[in-house]
C-alpha cells in the first residue's frame, strides 16, 4: 500500500512524518529526494541543462540562483522543470522500497498522478498556527509567510481531496496516528 502525506507550508508534515518513525514507518521526503537527485543524477542534470542552459550547473554543482531565475520567469518554465524533476523523483520513490511519501505540493504539482497512492493523509493546522510556524522557522515577516501560504492550494481543498486529515494544532499527535494506522491496517 502506497500512502502520501501532504499539507500546506507550516502544517507540520515533517514533524508528523518524524513521529511515524516511532511506529517503524520510514517516509520518503520528496524535497530531499529532489535535491539529492539534482546533485547526483547525471540524467536529471542533463535534462536541466537542456532546459535551462549550461549555466545551471558549474563543475557539477547546481546554481540555485540560475534555476530560481528560470523558474520565476514564467509558469511554463516552472511546469517544464517539473517535467524534468518529478518523473525522476517518482522513479526514485518507487525504487526506494518505502511505502510512505511526504510532499507539500502533491496536488498542486500533479505529483499524485505520477504514482498511484492508495491513501492520502493531509496534515492540517489553523492558519494562525501555520503563519507563526513559518515566521519562526524561516525568520520572515507575517506578510511574507501569508504570501507563501497563499501560493499553495488552499488547505480546505487539500483536506477535501485527502482520505484522512490529521489536525496538528499543538495537541498530542500519537492518538491520531494510532487511529490512522488502525484505519489503514483494517482496509
Amino acid at each position: 500500500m502506497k500512502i502520501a502525506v501532504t499539507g500546506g507550508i507550516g502544517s507540520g508534515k515533517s514533524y508528523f512524518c518524524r513521529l511515524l518513525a516511532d511506529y517503524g514507518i520510514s517516509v520518503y521526503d520528496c524535497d530531499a529526494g529532489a535535491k539529492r537527485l539534482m546533485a547526483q543524477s547525471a540524467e536529471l542534470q542533463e535534462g536541466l541543462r537542456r532546459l535551462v542552459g549550461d549555466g545551471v550547473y558549474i563543475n557539477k554543482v547546481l546554481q540555485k540562483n540560475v534555476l530560481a531565475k528560470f523558474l520565476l520567469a514564467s509558469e511554463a518554465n516552472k511546469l517544464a522543470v517539473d517535467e524534468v524533476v518529478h518523473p525522476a523523483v517518482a522513479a526514485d520513490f518507487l525504487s526506494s522500497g518505502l511505502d510512505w511519501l511526504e510532499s507539500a505540493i502533491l496536488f498542486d504539482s500533479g505529483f499524485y498522478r505520477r504514482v498511484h497512492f492508495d491513501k492520502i493523509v493531509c496534515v492540517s493546522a489553523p492558519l494562525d498556527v501555520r503563519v507563526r510556524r513559518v515566521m519562526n522557522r524561516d525568520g520572515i515577516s507575517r506578510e511574507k509567510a501569508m504570501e507563501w501560504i497563499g501560493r499553495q492550494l488552499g488547505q480546505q481543498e487539500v483536506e477535501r481531496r485527502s482520505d484522512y486529515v490529521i489536525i496538528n494544532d499543538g495537541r498530542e499527535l500519537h492518538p491520531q496516528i494510532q487511529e490512522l494506522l488502525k484505519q489503514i491496517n483494517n482496509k
Side-chain angles (χ1 to χ4, degrees), residues 4 12-13 24 35 60 62 82 99 107 121 124 149 158 166 175:
K13 290 174 308 301
K35 287 175 186 168
K60 296 186 178 186
L62 177 66
D82 286 351
D99 295 324
F107 296 117
V121 178
S124 185
I149 289 169
V158 175
I166 298 292

Side-chain angles (χ1 to χ4, degrees), residues 48-109:
L48 288 174
R49 266 194 208 89
R50 279 194 307 269
L51 183 63
V52 180
D54 288 334
V56 74
Y57 284 92
I58 297 176
N59 297 324
K60 296 186 178 186
V61 175
L62 177 66
Q63 302 302 298
K64 293 177 185 173
N65 60 332
V66 173
L67 182 60
K69 184 177 178 184
F70 182 84
L71 284 167
L72 295 173
S74 72
E75 182 65 19
N77 285 6
K78 181 188 159 308
L79 293 172
V81 169
D82 286 351
E83 284 303 314
V84 172
V85 175
H86 291 177
V89 173
D92 192 55
F93 166 65
L94 291 172
S95 68
S96 72
L98 298 175
D99 295 324
W100 290 67
L101 170 139
E102 174 190 354
S103 172
I105 56 172
L106 185 76
F107 296 117
D108 311 55
S109 68

Side-chain angles (χ1 to χ4, degrees), residues 4 6 105-113 117-122 152-165:
T6 193
I105 56 172
L106 185 76
F107 296 117
D108 311 55
S109 68
F111 194 85
Y112 70 100
R113 290 188 209 107
F117 292 102
D118 299 290
K119 297 294 175 189
I120 298 175
V121 178
C122 171
Q152 294 183 328
L153 188 62
Q155 184 170 263
Q156 288 181 327
E157 180 62 17
V158 175
E159 289 177 8
R160 187 187 70 73
R161 293 183 182 192
S162 299
D163 299 296
Y164 304 99
V165 177

